[in-house]
């Protein structure tokens, strides 16, 4: 955990808003990601947390090059992914795999489990990027089924014959097929029952330990993030507002938005729950379709100051790897 496997620098992802039927004209943009920077060290788990619509999933998809970034750099293993040609990018993609949120929608219903897990291997073989026999592909698929807790006896079954938790295990096995270094887990347990969530989280932790995997783990459930993450990044309206170790950020949050998020998370202790103070934010999350001249959290912040209105706080270190974007802790 000494070197950064992934570095994201000033990343922006704006989706154009267009008008017109025949002659389309851009009249604005949805600023899903509006200038974020972070790094993930090899072997660690960075938890990315925030409200729905804040840009978490867009961040993962842009890192995976499913979206072409509007601006910024995505440096993986020392290479800027945006500067690679199509063949170089495909070759690098074997090291970056995704586990999607919905296990019902992310698997092809017309393919058997073996075919689903083997598909990445077949693609790389057909493109001349991997030398592997048909027998080895089948053996690899069956091995991965066993590794994620599914019997290879079910190798010829289809996705509809499995439960939600089993389908997510299939998705994890597919992500492991090419021996990746980084896995982008986009809310992989949010569609599952709580008891199944624990099983999947434990599976991911065991696989990380065994294969030295690095995770970007996206979730809106703070308990899930606390359990699995080494460090936590808090996102609001396309911006990262706080980054710190999991232990520190849950004990001593600095940003008013992080404080509000943690106060909303239930604690399974009636005595503590009875005494603690809930921070209720006013208003709704603003629309991401306009540029802002001040702090993105200004409209809802219970601690806002005059300086916040026309100045955007930068993510600044306050000590021991704890970064926060808030004028309560520094001046521009």
């Amino acid at each position: 955990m000494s070197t950064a496997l992934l570095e994201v620098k000033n990343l922006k992802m704006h989706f154009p808003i267009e008008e017109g039927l025949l002659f389309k004209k851009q009249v604005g943009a949805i600023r899903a990601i509006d200038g974020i920077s972070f790094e993930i060290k090899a072997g660690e788990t960075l938890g990315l947390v925030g409200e729905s619509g804040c840009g978490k999933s867009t961040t993962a998809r842009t890192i995976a090059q499913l979206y072409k970034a509007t601006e910024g750099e995505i440096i993986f293993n020392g290479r800027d992914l945006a500067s690679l040609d199509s063949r170089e990018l495909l070759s690098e993609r074997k090291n970056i795999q995704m586990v999607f949120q919905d296990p019902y929608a992310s698997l092809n219903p017309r393919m058997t489990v073996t075919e689903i897990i083997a598909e990445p291997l077949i693609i790389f073989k057909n493109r001349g990027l991997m030398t592997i026999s048909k027998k080895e592909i089948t053996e690899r698929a069956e091995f991965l089924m066993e590794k994620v807790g599914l019997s290879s006896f079910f190798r010829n079954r289809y996705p509809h014959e499995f439960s939600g938790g089993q389908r997510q295990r299939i998705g994890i096995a597919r992500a492991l097929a090419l021996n990746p270094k980084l896995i982008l887990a986009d809310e992989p347990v949010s569609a599952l029952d709580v008891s199944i969530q624990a099983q999947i989280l434990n599976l991911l932790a065991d696989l990380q330990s065994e294969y030295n995997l690095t995770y970007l783990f996206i979730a809106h459930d703070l308990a899930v993030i606390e359990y699995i993450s080494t460090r936590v990044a808090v996102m609001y309206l396309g911006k990262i507002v706080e980054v710190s170790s999991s232990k520190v950020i849950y004990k001593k949050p600095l940003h008013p938005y992080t404080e509000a998020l943690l106060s909303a998370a239930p604690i399974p202790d009636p005595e503590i729950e009875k005494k603690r103070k809930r921070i209720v934010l006013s208003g709704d999350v603003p629309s991401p379709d306009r540029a802002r001249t001040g702090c993105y959290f200004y409209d809802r912040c219970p601690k806002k100051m005059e300086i916040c209105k026309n100045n955007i706080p930068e993510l600044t270190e306050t000590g021991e790897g704890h970064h926060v974007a808030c004028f309560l802790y520094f001046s521009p």
Side-chain angles (χ1 to χ4, degrees):
M1 293 179 61
S2 59
T3 58
L5 178 67
L6 175 72
E7 291 181 85
V8 173
K9 298 180 179 180
N10 194 35
L11 184 65
K12 296 183 181 181
M13 186 65 236
H14 297 173
F15 296 97
I17 301 173
E18 298 177 333
E19 286 184 353
L21 186 60
L22 296 177
F23 303 99
K24 293 187 179 297
K25 177 183 178 183
Q26 184 173 339
V27 295
I30 298 295
R31 300 167 182 268
I33 309 173
D34 210 14
I36 63 173
S37 299
F38 63 87
E39 66 176 37
I40 308 178
K41 297 178 181 179
E44 78 167 345
T45 299
L46 177 67
L48 188 58
V49 65
E51 293 174 270
S52 295
C54 70
K56 304 186 299 297
S57 295
T58 303
T59 299
R61 289 170 179 265
T62 307
I63 291 171
Q65 298 297 292
L66 299 179
Y67 298 145
K68 195 69 174 176
T70 305
E71 189 178 315
E73 296 177 278
I74 302 168
I75 301 172
F76 178 76
N77 235 4
R79 306 176 76 188
D80 185 1
L81 297 181
S83 66
L84 303 181
D85 61 36
S86 57
R87 186 170 179 83
E88 288 176 323
L89 180 58
L90 180 63
S91 179
E92 199 63 68
R93 269 208 173 111
K94 70 176 182 292
N95 292 316
I96 305 175
Q97 295 294 306
M98 282 193 73
V99 177
F100 296 92
Q101 176 179 359
D102 188 354
Y104 296 90
S106 60
L107 304 179
N108 190 330
R110 296 181 178 86
M111 297 173 71
T112 65
V113 176
T114 303
E115 291 171 338
I116 289 170
I117 299 173
E119 186 177 21
L121 298 166
I122 294 171
I123 290 172
F124 273 74
K125 178 186 177 182
N126 292 342
R127 297 289 181 89
L129 297 171
M130 178 180 289
T131 303
I132 188 171
S133 67
K134 186 175 180 180
K135 181 183 177 182
E136 289 173 328
I137 290 175
T138 303
E139 289 175 348
R140 174 72 174 164
E142 293 179 3
F143 168 78
L144 288 171
M145 284 188 69
E146 299 284 352
K147 183 59 69 175
V148 299
L150 294 173
S151 172
S152 58
F153 176 79
F154 304 122
R155 59 186 175 274
N156 293 320
R157 292 193 178 183
Y158 291 85
H160 73 270
E161 299 179 84
F162 293 90
S163 67
Q166 289 172 324
R167 293 183 196 189
Q168 197 59 289
R169 290 174 187 270
I170 296 169
I172 293 170
R174 177 178 60 185
L176 292 173
L178 295 168
N179 290 316
K181 296 179 180 178
L182 173 67
I183 288 184
L184 309 172
D186 184 10
E187 302 205 36
V189 297
S190 64
L192 307 176
D193 294 338
V194 175
S195 60
I196 306 301
Q197 287 185 9
Q199 295 176 20
I200 297 299
L201 291 174
N202 288 333
L203 172 63
L204 289 170
D206 291 342
L207 292 171
Q208 182 177 39
S209 178
E210 182 173 353
Y211 294 108
N212 193 32
L213 296 170
T214 304
Y215 291 145
L216 173 63
F217 194 98
I218 295 170
H220 58 261
D221 188 324
L222 292 166
V224 168
I225 288 290
E226 182 179 19
Y227 178 78
I228 200 168
S229 300
T230 312
R231 291 188 300 126
V232 177
V234 181
M235 199 166 184
Y236 180 80
L237 204 63
K239 284 279 191 181
I240 289 179
V241 298
E242 189 167 359
V243 182
S244 185
S245 69
S246 179
K247 292 180 179 178
V248 170
I249 209 166
Y250 278 84
K251 288 182 178 179
K252 191 179 178 181
L254 297 181
H255 198 280
Y257 178 63
T258 310
E259 293 176 339
L261 273 183
L262 291 175
S263 78
I267 295 176
D269 187 323
E271 293 301 320
I272 298 177
E273 189 70 27
K274 190 188 302 181
K275 294 177 183 177
R276 74 186 187 123
K277 183 181 178 183
R278 172 79 190 275
I279 301 173
V280 180
L281 299 176
S282 60
D284 298 319
V285 180
S287 174
D289 64 349
R290 63 181 179 86
R292 286 171 170 76
T293 56
C295 176
Y296 284 41
F297 191 54
Y298 179 81
D299 294 335
R300 305 176 72 195
C301 184
K303 299 180 180 180
K304 60 188 174 187
M305 303 178 292
E306 187 60 33
I307 193 175
C308 308
K309 190 174 184 179
N310 297 307
N311 296 276
I312 300 176
E314 297 293 329
L315 200 62
T316 304
E317 185 171 7
T318 60
E320 298 182 357
H322 198 155
H323 295 74
V324 64
C326 183
F327 290 126
L328 289 170
Y329 305 98
F330 63 90
S331 299

